[in-house]
Amino acid sequence: MSVFLEALKRHGHLTNLHMTVCNVGSRKLGQHDDYGSSDWGIFAPNLTIYGFDADADACDAANTDLENRQVNWNEEHIPIALSDKVGERTLYVTQNPMCSSLYPPNEPYLARFQGLPELVNLDFSIGLETTTLDEFCREARINQIDFLQVDVQGADLSVLEGGQEILKTIFAVQIEVEFSHLYEGQPLFADVDVYLRKRDFTLFDLATSYGVRSRSPIASRIRPGQLLWADAFYFRDLLQKTKNDPQKLLKLTFIADILNFPDYALEIMEYLTLNYGSDPRYNLADVILDGLSQFPDLVQQDLGSLEIIQRVFD
């Protein structure tokens, strides 16, 4: 749940600002996958969402749902498999289609964990055409993506490698990473981490998932099994740069707040206010005050005694 977005909108800081979200592996499994109906919807109608999934039926279902709901933002789900090159690849369709990958499942390894074989073991394989995110953006004349989510079961690094140019415009990436070879020959977390760090992204957090051995009747309350995969959250830490574009910093604030990093959003807002606050668009003192006023313990402590409040209102 965002902390500052409502106040940012109330004070007019979302006016005339457009947000573009790209979701690679966009099969909608629940409400959390419906970006436009979550916090991102606050930007509507100035919101564009591109979803990509190799499953044409899943894309058709998502597009039909959007049409039936008559949403007030632009969203399209495109039945394209994204990779690091334009060409033909094999799609390994698993027992549960959401686990399908461009890499074959590592079935002997999966068998060592509870609940994985019935999800990830191979059902059948098919050939399909792939393209790159850069190629799609060139053809669609897309020159800016603000937030990128990638969840394509082991082939996530290939999506990044096929989007080297558009990645330069992106402020934050949420990407699934694996720590063991659930799929044969797949890149692991370290490979993704090195790639993104070389492109000025900083790892902020990992939302981790664990596996318990298949024949074990016990599991630790302290160690919930072996760390197998996670959603990794990366941001551009623009405050490390000597020169900054305040408009980019403002967008970074919005995304940090939506992704539940309000402390980072607050740090950026303080920076904007202190360095660009002579422009009303970037004076966020009132937004900071409104946001922090939601916390009763801070109100009881006296918001005016907080150093950050004293600094932005000085």
Side-chain angles (χ1 to χ4, degrees):
M1 178 66 70
S2 61
V3 173
F4 300 103
L5 274 184
E6 289 293 341
L8 284 160
K9 183 173 184 178
R10 201 163 49 245
H11 289 278
H13 296 288
L14 273 60
T15 304
N16 300 321
L17 181 144
H18 194 279
M19 190 69 74
T20 301
V21 173
C22 180
N23 184 1
V24 184
S26 64
R27 177 190 299 270
K28 293 190 176 183
L29 302 175
Q31 187 67 26
H32 62 283
D33 297 313
D34 192 355
Y35 281 173
S37 297
S38 65
D39 283 340
W40 294 100
I42 199 168
F43 300 104
N46 299 322
L47 172 67
T48 298
I49 300 173
Y50 297 102
F52 297 90
D53 201 286
D55 188 335
D57 290 338
C59 291
D60 286 343
N63 289 329
T64 298
D65 175 64
L66 292 165
E67 184 177 353
N68 291 339
R69 288 159 53 196
Q70 296 185 325
V71 299
N72 67 332
W73 63 87
N74 298 313
E75 181 171 351
E76 180 182 6
H77 291 260
I78 304 141
I80 291 177
L82 294 180
S83 186
D84 58 342
K85 59 185 177 181
V86 177
E88 186 170 333
R89 295 282 299 271
T90 299
L91 178 66
Y92 298 90
V93 181
T94 53
Q95 297 292 327
N96 189 317
M98 72 176 182
C99 299
S100 301
S101 175
L102 295 177
Y103 290 90
N106 187 356
E107 293 188 0
Y109 190 69
L110 295 168
R112 298 170 61 189
F113 298 94
Q114 297 177 10
L116 290 186
E118 49 267 49
L119 294 176
V120 193
N121 277 7
L122 184 66
D123 189 7
F124 61 93
S125 60
I126 58 172
L128 82 169
E129 292 293 322
T130 64
T131 189
T132 68
L133 185 56
D134 278 342
E135 182 63 23
F136 175 84
C137 289
R138 278 193 292 270
E139 292 181 358
R141 297 183 179 180
I142 298 167
N143 55 22
Q144 173 73 52
I145 292 174
D146 299 303
F147 170 64
L148 173 66
Q149 180 179 1
V150 186
D151 183 354
V152 287
Q153 305 301 309
D156 308 81
L157 179 59
S158 295
V159 173
L160 297 180
E161 291 173 335
Q164 294 185 48
E165 291 304 313
I166 198 67
L167 193 62
K168 296 174 184 176
T169 74
I170 292 171
F171 297 105
V173 176
Q174 178 182 341
I175 186 167
E176 186 179 73
V177 294
E178 279 81 32
F179 298 91
S180 293
H181 288 93
L182 304 182
Y183 299 88
E184 295 178 9
Q186 69 164 110
L188 297 179
F189 164 70
D191 305 299
V192 175
D193 186 62
V194 167
Y195 187 88
L196 285 172
R197 286 184 184 275
K198 285 183 177 179
R199 285 153 182 83
D200 295 328
F201 286 93
T202 298
L203 177 65
F204 270 53
D205 197 15
L206 295 169
T208 52
S209 296
Y210 298 82
V212 175
R213 260 45 193 190
S214 58
R215 288 188 289 276
S216 176
I218 58 173
S220 169
R221 295 180 180 178
I222 300 172
R223 306 291 182 201
Q226 181 179 337
L227 176 61
L228 293 179
W229 71 87
D231 269 359
F233 295 84
Y234 287 86
F235 286 92
R236 289 197 186 279
D237 194 359
L238 296 180
L239 297 184
Q240 294 190 58
K241 297 183 177 295
T242 55
K243 292 184 179 180
N244 265 306
D245 180 337
Q247 188 75 352
K248 290 182 178 180
L249 283 168
L250 193 60
K251 277 197 170 185
L252 186 58
T253 300
F254 302 152
I255 298 170
D257 196 28
I258 288 173
L259 296 181
N260 295 305
F261 295 93
D263 60 314
Y264 186 37
L266 185 58
E267 181 186 29
I268 301 168
M269 288 192 292
E270 179 189 20
Y271 179 90
L272 280 168
T273 303
L274 296 180
N275 291 277
Y276 300 96
S278 58
D279 186 331
R281 294 176 297 172
Y282 308 119
N283 191 321
L284 304 172
D286 289 333
V287 172
I288 292 172
L289 182 62
D290 285 1
L292 296 181
S293 296
Q294 300 174 58
F295 298 89
D297 55 332
L298 294 181
V299 174
Q300 185 175 11
Q301 177 183 333
D302 180 15
L303 291 175
S305 67
L306 297 176
E307 181 182 358
I308 191 168
I309 295 297
Q310 293 173 1
R311 284 169 58 82
V312 298
F313 281 100
D314 185 10

